[in-house]
C-alpha cells in the first residue's frame, strides 16, 4: 500500500514542480492574445474559464481509457505503477502540454498542421491519414460499446441506440463548443473524478487485501513481456497520442497562456491518478493477477469495472459503473468526431469556413459516415491496430515538440528523451505483436533497438544543424 500512496504523491509533486519546469522552458507570455479572442467565431474559438477547460480536457483525454487500460495493465503487477508515474510526469503530461500550447501558439492549429510545420510536408501527409483513421475508429468503438449496453439493459434495439448516440455526436460536433461540451462535460468530468476517489476509498477501507507494494517481477499470468506491451496496454494514464488530437479543442478556448499548465499538464496528471487507482483495484480486488485474468476472460474490462464498483460501493457503485461504461465512451466519441471534423477541414483548406453549423455539418458528414458504418460491423481486426497507431501518433507529437524546442534554442531534451523512449516502444511492438509481424521477441527487440538508434542518429544531426544555425545568427549579429 505504501507504493500506491507514494505513487500518488509523486504524481502530485510532478505537477507542482516539473510542470513549472516545462512551462518555463516553453516560455509562456501572459500578455499574448490567445486564439479564443483573435479568432472568435462562436463555434470552436470561444473563450472559456480555465477550470471548465481543465474538466473538458480531462474528459476528452480520459473517458474509459485510464480505467480499462489500467485494469488490463494491472495483469503485469505493481510494475504498472512505475510506468503510470514516470510515463505521466515525463512523457504524457509533457506531450499534452506541448500539443495544447503549440496549437495555441499557432492559432489553434490541429496536430497534423503542427507536424507539417516542424517535421515536413511528407510527415504531415502521413499523419493526416493516420490521425483521421484513429479518430474514426475511436468514434466507432466508443459508440458500439455503449449502444450494445443500452440495448442489453433496455428494450431499445441496438441500431436505434446507435442512431440516437450518433445524433448526439453530430449535434456536439457542429454546435458551439460552449453550448454542449462546455455545459455538460464539467459535470461528467466531476463524475469521473468522484468515481475514482470513491474506488480508492473503498480499496483502502473495505478490501481486506492490501494493495501490493512495488516489485520489478513480471506477474502477468500469460508471461507476456513488460517491454513494450505494458507501454501500449496502458496508454491513457501514461501517454496517449489521442490526447494531441484533442488538445487543440481546448486550446481554442483558453483565455490566457498561463492556464496551459493547469489545463494540459494538470489534466494528464489527473488522468494518471485515475489510472493508478484502477490499476491498484485490478491487482488487489481479485487477490492476484491470475484472478484478474479470470475475471477479464469472463466479463472483459467492463465486467471487471462493474464487479469492483458494485462490490465496493453497492447501489451507488452500480449506477456509477453504468454511467461510466455508457457516458464516458460517448464523451470520448463525440470529441473524436469533433476533432476529425477540424482535421478534415484543415486538410481540405487552411481557410475552410466553419463559422456556422451548416458549414460545420458539411465537414462532419465525410467522417461521421465511415464511423457509423464501422460501429455496425465486427471490425475488431482493425481495432487491434489502434493501440499501436495511438502510440505512433504520440511519438510523432513528441518529435514535433522536440524540433520546435530546437528551432527556438530551448532545452529540447525534455521532449527528445521521451520521444526516443516511445520510438523504441513502437518499433519493437509492431514487429512482436500479433497484429504486427509476429516475430520472436529477441528479433523484435533487436530490430526495435536498431531503428531507435537510427532515429537517435537523426536526432543528433538535428541538434548539430540547429546549433550551427544559431552560431551563424550570432556571428552575423556580432
Amino acid at each position: 500500500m505504501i507504493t500506491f500512496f507514494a505513487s500518488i504523491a509523486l504524481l502530485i509533486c510532478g505537477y507542482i514542480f516539473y510542470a513549472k519546469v516545462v512551462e518555463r522552458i516553453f516560455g509562456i507570455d501572459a500578455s499574448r492574445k490567445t486564439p479564443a479572442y483573435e479568432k472568435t467565431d462562436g463555434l470552436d474559438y470561444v473563450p472559456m474559464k480555465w477550470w471548465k477547460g481543465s474538466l473538458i480536457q480531462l474528459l476528452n483525454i480520459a473517458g474509459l481509457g485510464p480505467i480499462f487500460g489500467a485494469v488490463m495493465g494491472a495483469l503485469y503487477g505493481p510494475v504498472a505503477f512505475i510506468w503510470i508515474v514516470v510515463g505521466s510526469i515525463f512523457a504524457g503530461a509533457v506531450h499534452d502540454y506541448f500539443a495544447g500550447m503549440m496549437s495555441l501558439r499557432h492559432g489553434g492549429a490541429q496536430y497534423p498542421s503542427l507536424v507539417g510545420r516542424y517535421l515536413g510536408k511528407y510527415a504531415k501527409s502521413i499523419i493526416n491519414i493516420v490521425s483521421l483513421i484513429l479518430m474514426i475508429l475511436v468514434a466507432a468503438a466508443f459508440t458500439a460499446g455503449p449502444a450494445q449496453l443500452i440495448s442489453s439493459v433496455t428494450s431499445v434495439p441496438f441500431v436505434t441506440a446507435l442512431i440516437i448516440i450518433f445524433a448526439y455526436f453530430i449535434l456536439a460536433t457542429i454546435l458551439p463548443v460552449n453550448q454542449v461540451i462546455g455545459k455538460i462535460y464539467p459535470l461528467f468530468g466531476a463524475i469521473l473524478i468522484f468515481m475514482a476517489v470513491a474506488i480508492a476509498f473503498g480499496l483502502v477501507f473495505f478490501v481486506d487485501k492490501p494493495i501490493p507494494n512495488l516489485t520489478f517481477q513480471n506477474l502477468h499470468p500469460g508471461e507476456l513481456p513488460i517491454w513494450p506491451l505494458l507501454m501500449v496496454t496502458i496508454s491513457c494514464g501514461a501517454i496517449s497520442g489521442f490526447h494531441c488530437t484533442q488538445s487543440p479543442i481546448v486550446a481554442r478556448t483558453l483565455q490566457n497562456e498561463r492556464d496551459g499548465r493547469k489545463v494540459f499538464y494538470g489534466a494528464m496528471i489527473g488522468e494518471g491518478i485515475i489510472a493508478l487507482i484502477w490499476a491498484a483495484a485490478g491487482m488487489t480486488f481479485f487477490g492476484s493477477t491470475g484472478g484478474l485474468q479470470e475475471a477479464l476472460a469472463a466479463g472483459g474490462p467492463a465486467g471487471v469495472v462493474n464487479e469492483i464498483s458494485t462490490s465496493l460501493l453497492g447501489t451507488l457503485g452500480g449506477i456509477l459503473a453504468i454511467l461510466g461504461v455508457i457516458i464516458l465512451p460517448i464523451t470520448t466519441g463525440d470529441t473524436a468526431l469533433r476533432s476529425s471534423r477540424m482535421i478534415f477541414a484543415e486538410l481540405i483548406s487552411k481557410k475552410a469556413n466553419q463559422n456556422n453549423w451548416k458549414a460545420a455539418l458539411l465537414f462532419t458528414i465525410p467522417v461521421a459516415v465511415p464511423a457509423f458504418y464501422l460501429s455496425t460491423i465486427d471490425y475488431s481486426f482493425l481495432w487491434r491496430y489502434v493501440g499501436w497507431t495511438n502510440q505512433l501518433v504520440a511519438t510523432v507529437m513528441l518529435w514535433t515538440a522536440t524540433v520546435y524546442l530546437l528551432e527556438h534554442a530551448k532545452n529540447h531534451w525534455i521532449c527528445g528523451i521521451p520521444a526516443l523512449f516511445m520510438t523504441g516502444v513502437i518499433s519493437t511492438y509492431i514487429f512482436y505483436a500479433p497484429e504486427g509481424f509476429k516475430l520472436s521477441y529477441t528479433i523484435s527487440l533487436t530490430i526495435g533497438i536498431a531503428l531507435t538508434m537510427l532515429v537517435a542518429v537523426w536526432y543528433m544531426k538535428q541538434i548539430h544543424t540547429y546549433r550551427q544555425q544559431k552560431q551563424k545568427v550570432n556571428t552575423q549579429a556580432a
Side-chain angles (χ1 to χ4, degrees), residues 250-457:
V250 179
R252 295 182 178 192
T253 70
L254 285 193
Q255 296 179 329
N256 195 292
E257 286 194 1
R258 63 172 172 261
D259 295 333
R261 176 167 58 89
K262 294 175 283 191
V263 171
F264 300 118
Y265 199 103
M268 181 61 230
I269 292 298
E271 184 184 67
I273 293 174
I274 292 170
L276 198 71
I277 291 169
W278 280 101
M283 64 183 76
T284 304
F285 185 82
F286 298 97
S288 67
T289 55
L292 172 60
Q293 187 180 50
E294 292 176 4
L296 285 169
V304 168
V305 169
N306 182 63
E307 185 174 351
I308 292 173
S309 299
T310 53
S311 297
L312 293 182
L313 305 175
T315 304
L316 174 62
I319 294 172
L320 288 174
I322 292 174
L323 283 173
V325 176
I326 292 178
I327 294 177
L328 296 182
I330 291 175
T331 58
T332 300
D334 62 5
T335 52
L337 202 62
R338 189 179 187 94
S339 60
S340 297
R341 184 258 295 169
M342 293 159 67
I343 291 173
F344 183 68
E346 282 194 6
L347 176 63
I348 298 300
S349 173
K350 289 184 178 180
K351 297 181 179 179
N353 180 14
Q354 300 181 72
N355 57 8
N356 61 74
W357 70 268
K358 292 181 181 179
L361 181 62
L362 184 65
F363 289 107
T364 300
I365 291 174
V367 291
V369 170
F372 182 84
Y373 172 72
L374 286 173
S375 66
T376 64
I377 65 172
D378 180 11
Y379 64 99
S380 56
F381 71 99
L382 287 175
W383 183 246
R384 291 202 302 267
Y385 293 90
V386 170
W388 180 79
T389 303
N390 185 49
Q391 298 305 64
L392 170 65
V393 168
T395 304
V396 173
M397 180 62 231
L398 283 171
W399 282 123
T400 302
T402 301
V403 175
Y404 169 84
L405 292 172
L406 278 168
E407 188 173 296
H408 290 82
K410 296 182 177 182
N411 184 350
H412 51 88
W413 297 107
I414 63 167
C415 291
I417 291 175
L420 274 174
F421 179 88
M422 291 305 298
T423 299
V425 168
I426 62 171
S427 298
T428 305
Y429 183 87
I430 194 62
F431 287 99
Y432 177 71
E435 61 268 25
F437 294 97
K438 303 180 183 179
L439 300 179
S440 72
Y441 184 68
T442 301
I443 293 175
S444 301
L445 190 60
T446 302
I447 296 173
I449 291 172
L451 290 174
T452 304
M453 289 178 67
L454 285 175
V455 174
V457 170

Side-chain angles (χ1 to χ4, degrees), residues 83-158:
W83 169 234
I84 291 171
V85 172
V86 175
S88 293
I89 295 172
F90 298 106
V94 174
H95 166 279
D96 291 10
Y97 182 82
F98 275 89
M101 295 304 290
M102 286 175 63
S103 173
L104 187 144
R105 280 285 174 90
H106 291 78
Q110 289 295 303
Y111 162 66
S113 295
L114 296 175
V115 172
R117 167 65 179 80
Y118 292 99
L119 297 184
K121 62 180 182 180
Y122 296 112
K124 179 183 178 181
S125 298
I126 295 171
I127 286 299
N128 259 317
I129 297 171
V130 171
S131 298
L132 281 172
I133 290 174
L134 178 61
M135 293 301 95
I136 289 170
L137 283 173
V138 167
F142 285 4
T143 304
Q148 288 170 349
L149 184 58
I150 290 172
S151 179
S152 66
V153 299
T154 67
S155 58
V156 176
F158 170 73

